[in-house]
Amino acid sequence: MIEISRLSKRYGAKTAVDDVSFSVRPGRVTGFLGPNGAGKSTTLRVLLGLDHPTSGTALIDGRRYRDLRHPLRTVGALLDGAGPVPERRAIDHLTWIAQSNRIPRRRVREVLDLVGLGDAAGQRVKKYSLGMGQRLGIAAALLGDPEILVLDEPVNGLDPDGIRWVRTFLREFAAGGRTVLLSSHLMTEMAETADEAVVIANGRIVARGSIEELTAGHASLETAFFALTEG
Amino acid sequence: MRAEFTRIRTLPATWIALAVTLAANTLLGLLAATDTVRVATSDGQVAVSQLGTVMLAPVYAFLAVPVFAAGRELRISLLATPDRNRFLLAKLLASAGTTIVAAPVLLLPGLLVRHAAGSLPAEMTAYLLLGLVGGGFAVLTRTAVIPLAVLLALPVLVSPMLAGLLPGLVRLLPHEATLSFLGTSTGPALSRTAGFWVLLAWAVVFVGAAWVATVRRDS
């Protein structure tokens, strides 16, 4: 379970995240929605120990991410700007990540096969398409067979088959009692994948609830989103 | 640390840097041993072996290894090892270990052909300490380009410009201190012992600054 409590993050005079609280429960796919610059990525970076909070806490099963000795066995993450060196082979990229968290080497092959990159494992990442790079990021997130997934825009660059694969995978992952926090600004995709959503705008939470609750009185999640974030 | 070794070993830039360093060291060793090339200087024709800066030049190709290893994939490394102290310790140990393993291979052929194998411990120490300077600098700046450019600019541009004006300051720069430590300086020099301590101080300053920055700042 993920618990964000009264989290704030300021960069100088700018407040990126302002007193944000929400929790992400197991067995559900929780969407994290907001326009660019709303504070989504900052919240995720603090949750994953990359940035220090100004105040408040972001906990994973009651502990800070930084206090997890082998965090990838608990949390799998896909974040913008956390990709491999393009000259490295995909299999080498996953191998060093696996070694860093004492994950068995066989998992490297397993996750590459799982995301459909088994035949491209020996290729250098610079030869990958955008979608293949995104699949590699998802493979890295799955390496430690984690209970929790935190994915920032996972379907970016994926073709329709890839998008459907991610959607089905995340639904099954959550159905197995695991936790998924999914950030995306593709509303149609979010509506089909998430059970519930948290909406953030200007650094503050403006709405949260099931997709049905959020879309009540609106034609779609997209119109609900604009009503919530522009209102 | 094993993961860091894998990261360094599977980076093509590592092998290119090592190959260039080995080739340059061996070629310079051959030129120095045979005295086939002399360089025109203000003091007349000088043997390559007497030009400390030229003989030390291959280390700047080698520096790409610790610099690239330290400066790249920062965010993904921090996701894998969020404890900043463990993160930096693993990076430094892997970088130092790589130097200790690679340096004899890179240096010995050049030293052997000019019958100077006895210099290996001092040369290895110089590679190790300059590697820590470069690695710390890369962690601090989070790039590979700035540390390599600055470290290369010091002996090529800064030292020649300031050597006449501020010789006392120039001899304290990392490159000049290394030459003093190796006993190959042709400019204003420190004693070999003082050269070692100044170079060590540079390594401590850069690694210390990298450590403080890594623990305190956001990614």
Side-chain angles (χ1 to χ4, degrees), chain A residues 9 52 65-66 88 99, chain B residues 6-7 10 73 79 84:
Chain A
K9 176 65 182 176
H52 300 270
Y65 186 89
R66 285 190 187 203
R88 206 191 297 284
Q99 287 173 340
Chain B
T6 301
R7 219 169 63 78
T10 57
E73 297 176 318
L79 283 175
R84 307 279 172 118

Side-chain angles (χ1 to χ4, degrees), chain A residues 25-48:
Chain A
R25 293 178 291 160
R28 319 274 287 167
V29 176
T30 301
F32 194 29
L33 303 175
N36 287 341
K40 298 192 301 291
S41 295
T42 302
T43 304
L44 297 185
R45 283 202 305 272
V46 172
L47 173 66
L48 296 169

